[in-house]
Amino acid sequence: MWLNLSVTEFILLGLTRDAGKQKAVFGVFLIFYLATLLGNFLIVVTIKTSRTLGTPMYFFLFYLSFADTCFSTTTAPRLIVDALAQNRTISYNECMIQVFTFHFFGCMEILVLILMAFDRYVAICKPLRYTTIMSRHVCRVLVILAWVGSCIHSSAQIFLALRLPFCGPNVIDNYFCDLQPLLKLACMDTYVTNLLLVSNSGAICTVSFIILLTSYVVILYSLRNHSAEGRRKALSTCTSHFIVVVLFFGPCIFIYTRPPTTFPIDKMVAVFYTIGTPLLNPLIYTLRNMEVKKAMKKLWCSKV
């Protein structure tokens, strides 16, 4: 049920109100966003066109880069534009759309990271059955399930957001719309809504993080039976995945698994997982992966 009573738009305060710092925010985050688009675009095109990157790990990396691009796009362009804008308003409908897309692609990234961890688990712990378990058909089905799961999660979030009544206050002390700051503006008791938020977003972040940590512990334990070269290669791949997991899930758990309170550091924490992680992922997966670097070099040298 649509319970908004009077608010037709919200005012986003952004990262800072200082005019000098706003110009710095514009320049820095424009560079970050363009680098994110370029890095993830290179990975997507390289995997799509390379014949050597046809394994399930790169199939999932393709969708991780796609999700990263879309996830960053849900927040970064408005942050950049608003840094120089006099009027930092966002309409109610645009705010709801942002809540939906932000959680959709954020959840998509989480589920793809879990699929990548599962792929590494099968490759290292069950190498003889790897091609059977991780067939192309199975990988496609898993990605479809990730899309469906993301849709269910984001639909639940937008359902909670649409039920919030707003009677007057419309200033959001953040650079994008999300349920946490919207709860502060709602003219109702939001205790139950916050519990639902924690049980949805908070549980997804925490449970997924535990699953991923457990999978890497199992993988590390199983490596004791591998050769030195096999351990080195497996550790290199898993280390890249683990870095991404910690960088993404640490801030998410901090934001979504607590009572409806705000801290001065919240906006910088949000910057880390909404803009920082999508920027770092291409660097982590390319700089630490010789196969991707070779395929990328071969592709783009032939283009030149």
Side-chain angles (χ1 to χ4, degrees):
M1 181 180 178
W2 198 293
L3 292 182
N4 179 35
L5 300 180
S6 62
V7 173
T8 58
E9 63 182 20
F10 297 98
I11 299 172
L12 299 172
L13 294 183
L15 285 179
T16 178
R17 300 182 216 182
D18 184 282
K21 292 180 180 179
Q22 286 172 7
K23 294 178 181 178
V25 166
F26 173 82
V28 169
F29 286 98
L30 177 61
I31 293 171
F32 284 176
Y33 181 57
L34 292 177
T36 299
L37 294 181
L38 177 62
N40 285 293
F41 174 77
L42 289 176
I43 289 180
V44 166
V45 173
T46 301
I47 293 174
K48 200 68 177 175
T49 57
S50 175
R51 295 179 179 177
T52 61
L53 302 179
T55 61
M57 182 175 75
Y58 299 112
F59 179 78
F60 294 135
L61 180 57
F62 173 90
Y63 284 99
L64 180 68
S65 293
F66 174 76
D68 272 336
T69 302
C70 297
F71 184 57
S72 180
T73 301
T74 61
T75 58
R78 179 166 287 278
L79 169 63
I80 294 166
V81 172
D82 284 353
L84 297 182
Q86 296 295 324
N87 184 20
R88 298 181 181 182
T89 59
I90 180 171
S91 72
Y92 179 86
N93 290 339
E94 287 175 321
C95 183
M96 296 301 108
I97 291 171
Q98 189 174 54
V99 170
F100 180 86
T101 54
F102 175 78
H103 283 275
F104 181 87
F105 291 110
C107 186
M108 182 70 184
E109 184 163 350
I110 289 173
L111 296 178
V112 171
L113 286 172
I114 292 176
L115 295 181
M116 293 177 76
F118 176 70
D119 171 69
R120 290 302 84 203
Y121 165 77
V122 176
I124 294 170
C125 300
K126 301 182 183 296
L128 298 179
R129 299 179 57 196
Y130 178 71
T131 53
T132 304
I133 297 174
M134 300 303 295
S135 65
R136 179 65 67 170
H137 173 70
V138 170
C139 291
R140 289 198 184 101
V141 170
L142 290 174
V143 169
I144 291 172
L145 290 176
W147 282 97
V148 173
S150 302
C151 189
I152 293 172
H153 164 70
S154 52
S155 297
Q157 297 297 98
I158 198 65
F159 175 76
L160 294 176
L162 290 174
R163 290 183 59 84
L164 294 175
F166 303 101
C167 311
N170 67 337
V171 178
I172 297 177
D173 188 15
N174 211 325
Y175 60 92
F176 67 101
C177 281
D178 198 7
L179 267 175
Q180 290 282 31
L182 289 175
L183 288 177
K184 291 184 63 180
L185 302 179
C187 51
M188 64 174 284
D189 183 1
T190 58
Y191 177 77
V192 174
T193 305
N194 187 70
L195 283 181
L196 293 173
L197 172 63
V198 171
S199 64
N200 188 350
S201 296
I204 287 175
C205 291
T206 306
V207 173
S208 299
F209 185 60
I210 293 172
I211 290 173
L212 289 166
L213 284 183
T214 303
S215 70
Y216 289 124
V217 169
V218 173
I219 288 171
L220 290 175
Y221 180 76
S222 68
L223 284 176
R224 72 192 192 285
N225 299 322
H226 288 63
S227 64
E229 176 62 22
R231 284 198 300 269
R232 185 198 63 78
K233 188 173 182 181
L235 281 172
S236 176
T237 302
C238 290
T239 300
S240 301
H241 293 193
F242 184 73
I243 291 172
V244 171
V245 166
V246 172
L247 291 177
F248 185 79
F249 282 95
C252 283
I253 291 173
F254 175 77
I255 293 292
Y256 292 109
T257 57
R258 68 181 200 216
T261 56
T262 56
F263 301 105
I265 198 175
D266 282 357
K267 284 192 277 190
M268 292 312 300
V269 171
V271 164
F272 207 82
Y273 72 88
T274 59
I275 296 174
T277 303
L279 171 66
L280 293 174
N281 279 356
L283 297 176
I284 292 170
Y285 282 109
T286 54
L287 295 180
R288 296 186 59 87
N289 192 308
M290 288 301 298
E291 289 179 317
V292 174
K293 284 194 287 187
K294 287 179 181 178
M296 201 172 283
K297 185 176 180 181
K298 180 179 179 182
L299 172 66
W300 297 106
C301 285
S302 65
K303 295 289 183 183
V304 172

